[in-house]
């Protein structure tokens, strides 16, 4: 299998799907895969953090993770409050309900 982004979507080539007709027959199919066992244990998977509460270094609950947004400098946690938190500030995500962050002063201040 290979994949690449194309116009806000993904083009995926699957083994055994060799022509357009075969591909069209699979349109709308949801693809799922388990992460490989030897993946980085510190990796953050989107499906694991969406729905978790974000708690800062002072113990303040900053909201719930709604999505992850790609960003060239650092991908961002998108919170239900509208706040964006760069992943580089995540210090712990082992708790299945909470993502702990250590952010610079002012990150959550209204702009």
């Amino acid at each position: 299998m290979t994949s690449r982004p194309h116009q806000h979507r993904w083009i995926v080539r699957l083994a055994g799907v060799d022509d357009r007709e075969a591909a069209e027959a699979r349109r709308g199919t949801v693809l799922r895969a388990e992460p490989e066992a030897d993946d980085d244990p510190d990796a953050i998977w989107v499906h694991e953090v969406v729905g978790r509460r974000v708690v800062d270094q002072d113990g303040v609950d900053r909201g719930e993770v709604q999505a992850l947004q790609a960003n060239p400098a650092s991908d961002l946690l998108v919170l239900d409050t509208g706040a964006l938190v760069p992943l580089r500030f995540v210090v712990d995500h082992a708790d299945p309900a909470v993502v702990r962050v250590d952010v610079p002063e002012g990150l959550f201040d209204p702009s």
Side-chain angles (χ1 to χ4, degrees), residues 42-53:
D42 294 327
I44 297 175
W45 294 89
V46 175
H47 70 278
E48 293 178 342
V49 295
V50 169
R52 291 191 192 185
R53 305 301 302 177

Side-chain angles (χ1 to χ4, degrees), residues 46-110:
V46 175
H47 70 278
E48 293 178 342
V49 295
V50 169
R52 291 191 192 185
R53 305 301 302 177
V54 172
V55 177
D56 71 14
Q57 64 270 25
D58 298 322
V60 177
D61 184 322
R62 295 301 186 162
E64 182 179 289
V65 178
Q66 296 293 301
L68 203 71
Q69 180 177 320
N71 185 333
S74 176
D75 289 346
L76 305 167
L77 296 174
V78 179
L79 306 188
D80 60 348
T81 61
L84 301 173
V85 181
L87 280 182
R88 64 188 174 141
F89 297 134
V90 172
V91 293
D92 182 24
H93 62 280
D95 183 325
V98 175
V99 174
R100 299 199 181 280
V101 296
D102 188 354
V103 298
E105 187 174 327
L107 183 79
F108 292 109
D109 292 347

